[in-house]
C-alpha cells in the first residue's frame, strides 16, 4: 500500500495556502499495471499548467485523479488545500461519500477529448443542465448565463442545435462553456483538440487562450506544443508514470535536458 | 435498338454536360413467376373461405355487442396494468442486476432466469392453484384473509402476466442502460451531478432510445398474451367471444371477430409506438424521421413534380 513513506505524517497544513493542486508521491494502478509511479508536482493559482508526454505515460490518468474520476492508490493529492477523495482524522483516512465527492467536483471543470456533450440536449440545455440540477439556479437565470457563455465561445447562434448538428470544434467549445457554467476555480483539459480536424483546432485553442488570460487555473494535457509554448506557465513532461522533466515551457521545449524528452520532442515538433 | 433510343433522346435534350444514361433495365423474370404463384395461392385461400360454411353476417352483428366491448375493455386494462408492473419491476430488476452489490445482482439474475425460463401459461396456472398450498394470506398485523378471497382471478392474471413481463423488461432495460457511453456518466459526474441525477437526467433519457422500440413490441405482445388468462377463469375479449360463440353456434365467426378486435388494437398501438420512438430519437440523428403525414405529403409532392417535370421513363 504505502510506497511513499514520509507522506502520512505531515499532512494537515500541506503547504495548502499557495497551491491550487499539489501532488505528493501519487500512485495509481489498474490491476497489476502501475500507471502512475509517484507524481510530485504543484500547480499555482491562475497558472496554465501543461502536461505532455507519449500516450500511455499516465497524463490523462493523473488528470482524472484530480477530480476523483480515478482513485489514487498511494500518496496524497490536494486541490485548493483539501485532500481529494478522502478525509483525514488523526492518522486514519476516511473515504468521502459520493455526495461529498460531487460537492468538490462542482469547483473543478473538465473538458474531455471526445467532448461527451449530452446528445439529447441542445447546446444551450447542455450548458444549463449542471447549474440548474446541481446548484439549483432558476431556469431563467441559467438560460441567460448559458447564452452569455455560448457567446463567449463564439456560438451564440448555435444555442438551439443538438450536438450531432455541430462540428467537432463547435462541440468542444460548447463543452468548455458547459464546464464554465459551474464557475469552477480549476479547469482540467484532457487532450481537448486531439479528436478535431486540424483546421478546427485553432478555434478551441483561441477559447482556451482567452480563458487563460482571464486568470483561470488550467491543467492541460495536450499535444499542441505551440499552445504550450505561448500560453503555458509551466510544463511537465511525463513518461511511463513519472515526471521526467519540468520547467517553463519555452525552456523545456527549446532546451530539453533529459534524453527521453529530447527524443519525444524531436518526433513531435 | 438500344443505341437508337439513346441517340433519339439526346437529340431533343440540349447538349449540356454529359448526356444522361437511359439503359434498358434488367428484366427479373423470376419475380413475375413468384408474384403469379403467390397471387394464385392467395386467391385459392380467399375462394376457400368465401365458399366455406361461414356466417359472415354474425361478425358485424356482434361486433359492438356489450359483452365484446366489455372484453375489449378488460383486455386493455389487463394489458396496461401488467405492462405497468412489468416496466416498474423491469427497471428495478435492471438496476439491481447492474448494482455492485453481489446479493441484489444475484437475486435479480435468479428472478430473470426463473421467470424467463418457464412458460407464462405454467406460471398462470401456478398462481391460480396456489390456493391448494396456502390457506391464508397472513402478513401479521397488517393483513390476514382467506387465500381464495385474496387471490381473485383478476389478481392471478395480473401477477402472472406482470411478473413474467418484468423479467423480459429487465433485460431490455439493462441493455438500454449499458448502451449509453461511459463518457456521459463521467461528464455528468465531473459536473458535480449525483448518481441519481446522472441516471435520471443523462443516462435514462439516452437509454430510452434503445429501450422504447422493444418495449413497444412487448406491449403489443402483452395485448395478445392476455388471451391466455381465459385459461384461469378471467373473462376478457377471447373468453367472451368464445362464450358468445358456443351459445350462438357461431364459434369460428366469433374467433374471427376477436381476431379483428386484436388487430385493431395492435394497429393503434403500433402507431403510438412510432411517435414515442420519434420523440426519443431527438438529438440522435440530424433530422427527425418524418411523420406518416409528412411522408404522404412528400410523396404527393414528388409525384406531382415527376409528372410536371415531363421526363417519362
Amino acid at each position: 500500500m504505502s510506497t511513499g513513506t514520509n507522506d502520512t505524517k505531515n499532512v494537515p497544513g500541506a503547504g495548502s495556502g499557495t497551491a491550487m493542486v499539489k501532488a505528493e508521491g501519487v500512485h495509481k494502478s489498474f490491476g497489476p499495471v502501475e500507471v502512475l509511479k509517484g507524481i510530485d508536482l504543484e500547480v499555482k493559482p491562475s497558472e496554465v499548467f501543461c502536461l505532455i508526454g507519449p500516450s500511455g505515460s499516465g497524463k490523462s490518468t493523473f488528470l482524472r485523479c484530480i477530480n476523483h474520476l480515478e482513485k489514487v492508490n498511494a500518496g496524497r493529492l490536494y486541490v485548493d488545500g483539501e485532500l481529494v477523495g478522502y478525509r483525514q482524522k488523526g492518522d486514519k483516512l476516511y473515504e468521502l461519500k459520493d455526495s461529498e465527492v460531487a460537492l468538490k467536483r462542482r469547483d473543478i471543470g473538465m473538458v474531455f477529448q471526445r467532448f461527451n456533450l449530452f446528445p439529447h440536449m441542445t447546446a444551450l440545455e447542455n450548458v444549463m443542465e449542471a447549474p440548474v440540477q446541481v446548484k439549483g439556479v432558476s431556469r431563467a437565470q441559467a438560460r441567460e448565463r448559458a447564452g452569455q457563455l455560448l457567446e463567449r465561445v463564439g456560438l451564440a447562434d448555435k444555442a438551439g442545435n443538438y450536438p450531432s448538428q455541430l462540428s467537432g470544434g463547435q462541440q468542444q467549445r460548447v463543452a468548455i462553456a458547459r464546464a464554465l457554467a459551474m464557475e469552477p476555480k480549476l479547469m482540467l483539459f484532457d487532450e481537448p483538440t486531439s479528436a478535431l480536424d486540424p483546421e478546427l483546432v485553432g478555434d478551441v485553442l483561441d477559447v482556451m487562450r482567452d480563458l487563460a488570460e482571464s486568470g483561470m487555473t488550467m491543467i492541460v494535457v495536450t499535444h499542441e506544443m505551440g499552445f504550450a509554448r505561448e500560453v503555458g506557465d509551466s510544463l511537465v513532461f511525463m513518461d511511463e508514470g513519472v515526471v521526467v522533466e519540468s520547467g517553463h515551457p519555452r525552456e523545456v521545449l527549446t532546451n530539453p535536458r533529459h534524453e527521453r524528452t529530447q527524443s519525444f520532442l524531436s518526433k513531435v515538433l | 435498338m438500344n443505341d437508337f433510343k439513346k441517340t433519339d433522346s439526346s437529340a431533343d435534350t440540349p447538349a449540356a454536360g454529359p448526356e444522361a444514361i437511359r439503359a434498358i433495365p434488367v428484366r427479373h423474370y423470376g419475380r413475375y413467376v413468384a408474384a403469379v404463384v403467390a397471387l394464385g395461392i392467395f386467391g385459392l385461400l380467399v375462394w376457400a373461405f368465401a365458399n366455406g360454411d361461414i356466417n359472415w353476417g354474425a361478425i358485424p352483428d356482434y361486433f359492438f355487442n356489450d359483452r365484446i366491448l366489455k372484453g375489449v375493455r378488460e383486455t386493455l386494462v389487463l394489458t396496461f396494468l401488467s405492462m405497468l408492473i412489468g416496466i416498474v419491476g423491469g427497471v428495478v430488476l435492471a438496476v439491481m442486476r447492474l448494482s455492485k452489490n453481489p446479493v441484489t445482482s444475484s437475486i435479480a439474475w435468479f428472478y430473470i432466469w426463473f421467470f424467463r425460463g418457464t412458460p407464462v401459461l405454467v406460471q398462470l396456472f401456478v398462481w391460480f392453484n396456489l390456493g391448494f398450498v396456502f390457506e391464508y394470506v397472513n402478513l401479521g398485523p397488517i393483513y390476514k384473509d382467506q387465500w381464495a378471497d385474496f387471490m381473485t382471478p383478476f389478481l392471478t392474471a395480473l401477477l402472472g402476466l406482470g411478473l413474467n413481463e418484468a423479467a423480459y423488461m429487465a433485460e431490455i432495460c439493462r441493455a438500454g442502460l449499458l448502451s449509453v457511453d461511459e463518457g456521459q456518466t463521467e461528464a455528468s459526474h465531473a459536473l458535480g451531478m449525483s448518481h441519481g441525477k446522472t441516471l435520471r437526467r443523462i443516462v435514462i433519457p439516452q437509454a430510452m432510445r434503445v429501450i422504447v422500440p422493444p418495449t413497444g413490441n412487448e406491449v403489443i405482445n402483452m395485448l395478445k398474451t392476455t388471451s391466455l388468462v381465459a385459461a384461469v377463469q378471467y373473462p376478457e375479449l377471447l373468453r367472451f367471444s368464445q362464450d358468445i360463440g358456443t351459445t350462438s353456434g357461431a364459434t369460428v365467426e366469433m374467433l374471427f371477430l376477436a381476431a379483428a378486435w386484436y388487430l385493431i388494437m395492435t394497429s393503434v398501438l403500433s402507431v403510438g409506438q412510432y411517435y414515442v420512438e420519434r420523440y426519443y430519437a431527438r438529438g440522435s440523428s440530424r433530422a427527425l424521421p418524418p411523420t406518416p403525414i409528412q411522408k404522404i405529403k412528400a410523396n404527393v409532392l414528388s409525384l406531382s413534380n415527376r409528372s410536371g417535370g415531363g421526363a417519362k421513363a
Side-chain angles (χ1 to χ4, degrees), chain B residues 165-236:
Chain B
E165 185 57 32
Y168 286 93
M169 284 307 302
E171 289 298 273
I172 292 173
C173 293
R174 189 168 72 101
L177 293 175
L178 288 177
S179 75
V180 179
D181 181 36
E182 224 180 317
Q184 293 289 309
T185 314
E186 277 183 0
S188 171
H189 282 166
L191 286 166
M193 287 170 75
S194 65
H195 281 311
K197 285 228 166 91
T198 301
L199 204 62
R200 258 202 333 277
R201 298 281 313 171
I202 307 300
V203 177
I204 290 180
Q206 293 181 58
M208 286 306 269
R209 200 162 48 83
V210 176
I211 292 174
V212 164
T215 304
N217 290 339
E218 289 296 307
V219 174
I220 288 168
N221 264 331
M222 180 58 85
L223 188 98
K224 295 179 293 172
T225 311
T226 54
S227 61
L228 287 183
V229 306
V232 292
Q233 308 306 324
Y234 188 72
E236 37 64 71

Coordinates of all heavy atoms in Angstrom, one line a residue, chain B residues 165-236:
Chain B
E165 N -43.5 -10.5 -17.3 CA -43.1 -9.4 -18.1 C -41.9 -8.7 -17.5 O -41.0 -8.3 -18.2 CB -44.2 -8.4 -18.4 CG -44.0 -7.3 -19.3 CD -43.5 -7.8 -20.7 OE1 -44.0 -8.9 -21.1 OE2 -42.7 -7.2 -21.3
A166 N -41.9 -8.6 -16.2 CA -40.8 -7.9 -15.5 C -39.4 -8.5 -15.9 O -38.5 -7.7 -16.1 CB -41.0 -7.9 -14.0
A167 N -39.4 -9.8 -16.0 CA -38.1 -10.5 -16.3 C -37.7 -10.0 -17.7 O -36.5 -9.8 -17.9 CB -38.3 -12.0 -16.3
Y168 N -38.6 -10.0 -18.7 CA -38.2 -9.5 -20.0 C -37.8 -8.1 -20.1 O -36.8 -7.7 -20.7 CB -39.4 -9.8 -21.0 CG -39.5 -11.3 -21.3 CD1 -40.4 -12.1 -20.6 CD2 -38.7 -11.9 -22.3 CE1 -40.5 -13.4 -20.9 CE2 -38.9 -13.2 -22.6 CZ -39.7 -14.0 -21.9 OH -39.8 -15.3 -22.2
M169 N -38.6 -7.2 -19.4 CA -38.3 -5.8 -19.4 C -37.0 -5.5 -18.7 O -36.3 -4.6 -19.1 CB -39.4 -5.0 -18.6 CG -40.7 -4.9 -19.4 SD -40.5 -4.1 -21.0 CE -39.7 -2.6 -20.6
A170 N -36.6 -6.4 -17.7 CA -35.3 -6.2 -17.0 C -34.2 -6.3 -18.0 O -33.3 -5.5 -18.0 CB -35.2 -7.2 -15.9
E171 N -34.3 -7.3 -18.9 CA -33.2 -7.5 -19.9 C -33.2 -6.3 -20.9 O -32.1 -5.9 -21.3 CB -33.4 -8.8 -20.6 CG -33.1 -10.0 -19.7 CD -31.6 -10.0 -19.2 OE1 -30.8 -10.6 -19.9 OE2 -31.4 -9.5 -18.1
I172 N -34.4 -5.9 -21.2 CA -34.4 -4.7 -22.2 C -33.8 -3.5 -21.6 O -33.1 -2.8 -22.2 CB -35.9 -4.5 -22.6 CG1 -36.4 -5.7 -23.5 CG2 -36.0 -3.2 -23.4 CD1 -37.9 -5.6 -23.8
C173 N -34.2 -3.2 -20.3 CA -33.7 -2.0 -19.6 C -32.2 -2.1 -19.4 O -31.5 -1.1 -19.6 CB -34.4 -1.8 -18.3 SG -36.1 -1.4 -18.4
R174 N -31.7 -3.3 -19.1 CA -30.3 -3.5 -18.8 C -29.5 -3.2 -20.1 O -28.5 -2.4 -20.1 CB -30.0 -4.9 -18.4 CG -28.6 -5.1 -17.9 CD -28.5 -6.4 -17.2 NE -28.6 -7.5 -18.1 CZ -27.5 -8.2 -18.5 NH1 -26.3 -7.9 -18.1 NH2 -27.6 -9.2 -19.4
A175 N -30.0 -3.7 -21.2 CA -29.3 -3.5 -22.5 C -29.3 -2.0 -22.8 O -28.3 -1.4 -23.3 CB -30.0 -4.2 -23.6
G176 N -30.4 -1.3 -22.5 CA -30.5 0.1 -22.7 C -29.6 0.9 -21.9 O -28.8 1.8 -22.4
L177 N -29.5 0.6 -20.6 CA -28.6 1.3 -19.7 C -27.1 1.1 -20.1 O -26.3 2.0 -20.1 CB -28.8 0.9 -18.3 CG -30.2 1.3 -17.7 CD1 -30.3 0.7 -16.3 CD2 -30.3 2.8 -17.6
L178 N -26.8 -0.1 -20.6 CA -25.4 -0.4 -20.9 C -25.1 0.2 -22.3 O -23.9 0.4 -22.6 CB -25.2 -1.9 -21.0 CG -25.2 -2.7 -19.7 CD1 -25.1 -4.2 -20.0 CD2 -24.1 -2.2 -18.8
S179 N -26.1 0.6 -23.1 CA -25.8 1.2 -24.4 C -25.3 2.6 -24.3 O -24.8 3.1 -25.3 CB -27.0 1.1 -25.3 OG -27.9 2.1 -24.9
V180 N -25.5 3.2 -23.2 CA -25.1 4.7 -23.0 C -23.6 4.7 -22.8 O -23.1 4.1 -21.9 CB -25.9 5.4 -21.9 CG1 -25.5 6.8 -21.8 CG2 -27.4 5.3 -22.2
D181 N -22.9 5.5 -23.5 CA -21.5 5.7 -23.4 C -21.1 6.1 -22.0 O -21.7 6.9 -21.4 CB -21.0 6.7 -24.5 CG -19.5 6.9 -24.4 OD1 -18.8 5.9 -24.3 OD2 -19.1 8.0 -24.6
E182 N -20.0 5.4 -21.6 CA -19.5 5.7 -20.2 C -19.1 7.2 -20.1 O -19.2 7.8 -19.0 CB -18.3 4.8 -19.9 CG -18.3 4.2 -18.6 CD -17.1 3.3 -18.3 OE1 -16.8 2.6 -19.3 OE2 -16.5 3.4 -17.3
G183 N -18.6 7.8 -21.2 CA -18.2 9.2 -21.1 C -19.3 10.1 -20.7 O -19.1 11.2 -20.1
Q184 N -20.6 9.7 -20.9 CA -21.7 10.5 -20.5 C -21.8 10.6 -19.0 O -22.0 11.6 -18.4 CB -23.0 9.9 -21.0 CG -23.1 10.0 -22.5 CD -23.3 11.4 -23.0 OE1 -24.2 12.1 -22.5 NE2 -22.5 11.9 -23.9
T185 N -21.6 9.4 -18.3 CA -21.7 9.3 -16.9 C -20.5 10.2 -16.3 O -20.7 10.9 -15.4 CB -21.5 7.9 -16.4 OG1 -22.4 7.1 -17.2 CG2 -21.9 7.7 -15.0
E186 N -19.3 10.0 -16.9 CA -18.2 10.7 -16.4 C -18.4 12.2 -16.5 O -18.1 13.0 -15.6 CB -16.9 10.3 -17.3 CG -16.3 9.1 -16.8 CD -15.1 8.7 -17.5 OE1 -14.7 9.5 -18.4 OE2 -14.5 7.7 -17.2
A187 N -18.9 12.7 -17.7 CA -19.1 14.1 -17.9 C -20.1 14.6 -16.8 O -19.9 15.7 -16.3 CB -19.6 14.4 -19.3
S188 N -21.1 13.8 -16.6 CA -22.1 14.3 -15.6 C -21.5 14.3 -14.2 O -21.7 15.3 -13.5 CB -23.3 13.3 -15.7 OG -24.2 13.5 -14.7
H189 N -20.8 13.3 -13.9 CA -20.1 13.3 -12.6 C -19.1 14.4 -12.4 O -19.1 15.1 -11.4 CB -19.4 12.0 -12.3 CG -20.3 10.8 -12.0 ND1 -19.9 9.5 -12.0 CD2 -21.6 10.9 -11.6 CE1 -21.0 8.8 -11.6 NE2 -22.0 9.6 -11.4
A190 N -18.4 14.7 -13.5 CA -17.4 15.8 -13.4 C -18.1 17.1 -13.2 O -17.4 18.1 -12.7 CB -16.6 15.8 -14.7
L191 N -19.3 17.2 -13.6 CA -20.1 18.5 -13.4 C -20.6 18.6 -12.0 O -21.3 19.5 -11.6 CB -21.2 18.6 -14.4 CG -20.8 19.0 -15.8 CD1 -21.9 18.8 -16.8 CD2 -20.3 20.4 -15.9
G192 N -20.4 17.5 -11.2 CA -20.9 17.5 -9.8 C -22.3 16.9 -9.6 O -22.9 17.1 -8.6
M193 N -22.8 16.2 -10.7 CA -24.1 15.7 -10.5 C -24.0 14.3 -9.8 O -23.1 13.6 -10.0 CB -24.7 15.5 -11.9 CG -25.2 16.8 -12.5 SD -25.7 16.8 -14.2 CE -27.3 16.0 -14.1
S194 N -25.0 14.1 -9.0 CA -25.0 12.9 -8.2 C -25.4 11.6 -9.0 O -25.8 11.8 -10.2 CB -26.1 13.0 -7.1 OG -27.4 13.0 -7.7
H195 N -25.2 10.5 -8.5 CA -25.5 9.2 -9.2 C -27.0 9.2 -9.7 O -27.3 8.9 -10.8 CB -25.3 8.0 -8.3 CG -23.9 7.6 -8.2 ND1 -23.1 7.4 -9.2 CD2 -23.2 7.3 -7.1 CE1 -21.9 7.1 -8.8 NE2 -21.9 7.0 -7.5
G196 N -27.9 9.6 -8.8 CA -29.3 9.6 -9.1 C -29.7 10.5 -10.2 O -30.3 10.2 -11.1
K197 N -29.1 11.8 -10.1 CA -29.4 12.8 -11.1 C -28.8 12.3 -12.5 O -29.4 12.5 -13.5 CB -28.8 14.1 -10.7 CG -29.6 14.8 -9.6 CD -29.9 16.3 -10.0 CE -31.0 16.9 -9.1 NZ -30.4 17.5 -7.9
T198 N -27.6 11.8 -12.4 CA -26.9 11.3 -13.6 C -27.8 10.3 -14.3 O -28.0 10.3 -15.5 CB -25.6 10.7 -13.3 OG1 -24.8 11.7 -12.7 CG2 -24.9 10.2 -14.5
L199 N -28.3 9.3 -13.5 CA -29.2 8.3 -14.0 C -30.5 8.9 -14.6 O -30.8 8.6 -15.8 CB -29.5 7.3 -12.9 CG -29.9 5.9 -13.3 CD1 -28.8 5.2 -14.1 CD2 -30.3 5.1 -12.1
R200 N -31.1 9.8 -13.9 CA -32.4 10.3 -14.3 C -32.3 11.3 -15.5 O -33.1 11.2 -16.4 CB -33.0 11.0 -13.1 CG -34.1 10.3 -12.5 CD -35.1 11.1 -11.7 NE -34.6 12.4 -11.1 CZ -34.0 12.5 -10.0 NH1 -33.6 11.5 -9.3 NH2 -33.6 13.7 -9.6
R201 N -31.3 12.2 -15.4 CA -31.2 13.3 -16.4 C -30.4 12.9 -17.6 O -30.6 13.4 -18.7 CB -30.6 14.5 -15.7 CG -31.4 15.1 -14.6 CD -32.6 15.8 -15.0 NE -32.3 16.8 -16.1 CZ -33.2 17.5 -16.8 NH1 -34.4 17.3 -16.5 NH2 -32.8 18.3 -17.7
I202 N -29.4 12.1 -17.4 CA -28.4 11.8 -18.5 C -28.6 10.4 -19.1 O -28.7 10.2 -20.3 CB -27.0 12.1 -18.0 CG1 -26.9 13.4 -17.4 CG2 -26.0 11.9 -19.2 CD1 -27.2 14.6 -18.2
V203 N -28.5 9.4 -18.2 CA -28.4 8.0 -18.8 C -29.8 7.5 -19.3 O -29.9 7.1 -20.4 CB -27.8 7.1 -17.7 CG1 -27.8 5.7 -18.2 CG2 -26.4 7.5 -17.3
I204 N -30.8 7.6 -18.4 CA -32.1 7.1 -18.8 C -32.7 7.7 -20.1 O -33.1 7.0 -21.0 CB -33.1 7.1 -17.6 CG1 -32.6 6.1 -16.6 CG2 -34.5 6.8 -18.1 CD1 -33.5 6.0 -15.3
P205 N -32.6 9.0 -20.2 CA -33.2 9.6 -21.5 C -32.5 9.1 -22.7 O -33.1 8.9 -23.7 CB -32.9 11.1 -21.3 CG -32.8 11.3 -19.9 CD -32.2 10.1 -19.3
Q206 N -31.2 8.8 -22.6 CA -30.5 8.2 -23.7 C -30.7 6.7 -23.9 O -30.8 6.2 -25.0 CB -29.0 8.5 -23.6 CG -28.6 9.9 -23.7 CD -27.1 10.2 -23.6 OE1 -26.3 9.6 -24.4 NE2 -26.7 10.9 -22.6
A207 N -30.9 6.1 -22.8 CA -31.2 4.6 -22.8 C -32.6 4.4 -23.4 O -32.8 3.4 -24.1 CB -31.1 4.0 -21.4
M208 N -33.5 5.4 -23.3 CA -34.8 5.2 -23.8 C -34.9 4.9 -25.3 O -35.7 4.2 -25.7 CB -35.6 6.5 -23.5 CG -36.0 6.7 -22.1 SD -36.9 5.2 -21.4 CE -38.5 5.7 -21.8
R209 N -33.9 5.5 -26.0 CA -33.9 5.3 -27.5 C -33.7 3.8 -27.8 O -34.2 3.3 -28.8 CB -32.8 6.1 -28.1 CG -32.9 6.4 -29.5 CD -32.0 7.5 -29.9 NE -30.6 7.3 -29.4 CZ -29.7 6.6 -30.0 NH1 -30.0 6.0 -31.1 NH2 -28.5 6.4 -29.5
V210 N -33.0 3.1 -26.9 CA -32.8 1.7 -27.1 C -33.9 0.9 -26.5 O -34.3 -0.2 -27.0 CB -31.4 1.3 -26.5 CG1 -31.2 -0.2 -26.6 CG2 -30.3 2.0 -27.2
I211 N -34.5 1.4 -25.4 CA -35.5 0.7 -24.6 C -36.9 0.7 -25.3 O -37.6 -0.3 -25.3 CB -35.6 1.2 -23.2 CG1 -34.3 0.9 -22.4 CG2 -36.8 0.6 -22.4 CD1 -34.2 1.5 -21.1
V212 N -37.2 1.9 -25.9 CA -38.6 2.1 -26.4 C -39.0 1.1 -27.5 O -40.1 0.5 -27.3 CB -38.8 3.6 -26.8 CG1 -40.1 3.7 -27.6 CG2 -38.9 4.4 -25.6
P213 N -38.2 0.9 -28.5 CA -38.7 0.0 -29.6 C -39.1 -1.4 -29.1 O -40.2 -1.8 -29.3 CB -37.6 0.0 -30.6 CG -36.9 1.3 -30.4 CD -36.9 1.5 -28.9
P214 N -38.2 -2.1 -28.4 CA -38.6 -3.4 -27.9 C -39.7 -3.4 -26.9 O -40.5 -4.3 -26.8 CB -37.3 -4.0 -27.3 CG -36.4 -2.8 -27.1 CD -36.8 -1.8 -28.1
T215 N -39.8 -2.3 -26.1 CA -40.9 -2.2 -25.2 C -42.2 -2.1 -25.9 O -43.2 -2.7 -25.5 CB -40.7 -0.9 -24.2 OG1 -39.5 -1.1 -23.6 CG2 -41.8 -0.9 -23.2
G216 N -42.2 -1.3 -27.0 CA -43.4 -1.3 -27.9 C -43.9 -2.7 -28.3 O -45.0 -3.0 -28.3
N217 N -42.9 -3.4 -28.7 CA -43.2 -4.8 -29.1 C -43.7 -5.6 -27.9 O -44.6 -6.4 -28.1 CB -41.9 -5.5 -29.6 CG -41.4 -5.0 -30.9 OD1 -42.2 -4.4 -31.7 ND2 -40.2 -5.2 -31.2
E218 N -43.2 -5.4 -26.8 CA -43.6 -6.1 -25.6 C -45.1 -5.7 -25.3 O -45.9 -6.6 -24.9 CB -42.8 -5.7 -24.4 CG -41.4 -6.3 -24.4 CD -41.4 -7.8 -24.4 OE1 -42.0 -8.4 -23.5 OE2 -40.8 -8.4 -25.3
V219 N -45.5 -4.4 -25.5 CA -46.9 -4.0 -25.2 C -47.8 -4.8 -26.2 O -48.8 -5.3 -25.8 CB -47.0 -2.5 -25.4 CG1 -48.5 -2.1 -25.3 CG2 -46.2 -1.8 -24.4
I220 N -47.4 -4.8 -27.4 CA -48.2 -5.5 -28.4 C -48.3 -7.0 -28.1 O -49.4 -7.6 -28.2 CB -47.6 -5.2 -29.9 CG1 -47.9 -3.8 -30.2 CG2 -48.2 -6.2 -30.9 CD1 -47.2 -3.3 -31.4
N221 N -47.2 -7.6 -27.8 CA -47.2 -9.0 -27.4 C -48.1 -9.2 -26.2 O -48.8 -10.2 -26.1 CB -45.8 -9.4 -27.0 CG -45.1 -10.1 -28.2 OD1 -45.7 -10.7 -29.0 ND2 -43.8 -10.0 -28.2
M222 N -48.0 -8.3 -25.2 CA -48.8 -8.4 -24.0 C -50.3 -8.4 -24.3 O -51.0 -9.2 -23.8 CB -48.4 -7.3 -23.0 CG -49.2 -7.4 -21.7 SD -49.0 -8.9 -20.8 CE -47.5 -8.6 -19.9
L223 N -50.6 -7.5 -25.2 CA -52.0 -7.4 -25.6 C -52.6 -8.8 -26.1 O -53.7 -9.2 -25.8 CB -52.2 -6.4 -26.7 CG -53.7 -6.0 -27.0 CD1 -54.1 -4.8 -26.3 CD2 -53.9 -5.9 -28.5
K224 N -51.7 -9.4 -26.8 CA -52.1 -10.7 -27.3 C -52.0 -11.8 -26.3 O -52.9 -12.7 -26.2 CB -51.2 -11.1 -28.5 CG -51.4 -10.2 -29.7 CD -50.6 -10.5 -30.9 CE -49.1 -10.3 -30.6 NZ -48.2 -10.8 -31.6
T225 N -51.0 -11.7 -25.4 CA -50.8 -12.7 -24.4 C -51.9 -12.7 -23.4 O -52.2 -13.8 -22.7 CB -49.4 -12.5 -23.7 OG1 -48.4 -12.4 -24.6 CG2 -49.1 -13.7 -22.8
T226 N -52.6 -11.6 -23.2 CA -53.7 -11.5 -22.2 C -54.7 -12.6 -22.5 O -55.5 -13.0 -21.7 CB -54.4 -10.2 -22.2 OG1 -54.8 -9.8 -23.5 CG2 -53.5 -9.1 -21.6
S227 N -54.8 -13.0 -23.8 CA -55.8 -14.0 -24.2 C -55.6 -15.3 -23.4 O -56.5 -16.1 -23.2 CB -55.8 -14.3 -25.7 OG -54.5 -14.8 -26.0
L228 N -54.3 -15.5 -22.9 CA -54.1 -16.8 -22.1 C -54.8 -16.8 -20.8 O -55.1 -17.9 -20.3 CB -52.6 -16.9 -21.8 CG -51.6 -17.2 -23.0 CD1 -50.2 -17.3 -22.4 CD2 -52.0 -18.5 -23.6
V229 N -55.2 -15.7 -20.3 CA -55.8 -15.7 -18.9 C -57.2 -16.2 -19.0 O -57.8 -16.5 -18.0 CB -55.8 -14.3 -18.2 CG1 -54.4 -13.8 -18.2 CG2 -56.7 -13.3 -18.9
A230 N -57.7 -16.4 -20.2 CA -59.0 -17.1 -20.3 C -58.9 -18.5 -19.7 O -59.9 -19.0 -19.1 CB -59.4 -17.3 -21.8
A231 N -57.7 -19.0 -19.6 CA -57.5 -20.3 -19.0 C -57.6 -20.3 -17.5 O -57.8 -21.4 -16.9 CB -56.1 -20.9 -19.5
V232 N -57.4 -19.2 -16.9 CA -57.5 -19.1 -15.4 C -58.8 -18.4 -15.0 O -58.8 -17.6 -14.0 CB -56.3 -18.5 -14.8 CG1 -55.1 -19.4 -14.9 CG2 -56.0 -17.1 -15.3
Q233 N -59.8 -18.5 -15.8 CA -61.2 -18.0 -15.5 C -61.3 -16.5 -15.4 O -62.2 -16.0 -14.8 CB -61.6 -18.6 -14.1 CG -61.5 -20.1 -14.0 CD -62.2 -20.8 -15.1 OE1 -63.3 -20.4 -15.5 NE2 -61.7 -21.9 -15.6
Y234 N -60.4 -15.8 -16.0 CA -60.6 -14.4 -16.0 C -61.2 -14.0 -17.4 O -60.6 -14.2 -18.4 CB -59.3 -13.6 -15.8 CG -59.6 -12.1 -15.6 CD1 -60.2 -11.7 -14.5 CD2 -59.3 -11.2 -16.7 CE1 -60.5 -10.3 -14.3 CE2 -59.7 -9.9 -16.5 CZ -60.3 -9.5 -15.3 OH -60.6 -8.1 -15.2
P235 N -62.4 -13.3 -17.4 CA -63.1 -13.0 -18.6 C -62.5 -11.8 -19.3 O -62.5 -10.7 -18.7 CB -64.5 -12.8 -18.2 CG -64.4 -12.3 -16.8 CD -63.2 -12.9 -16.2
E236 N -62.0 -12.0 -20.5 CA -61.6 -10.9 -21.4 C -62.1 -11.1 -22.8 O -63.0 -11.9 -23.0 CB -60.1 -10.7 -21.3 CG -59.2 -11.9 -21.2 CD -59.4 -12.8 -22.4 OE1 -58.8 -12.4 -23.5 OE2 -60.0 -13.9 -22.3

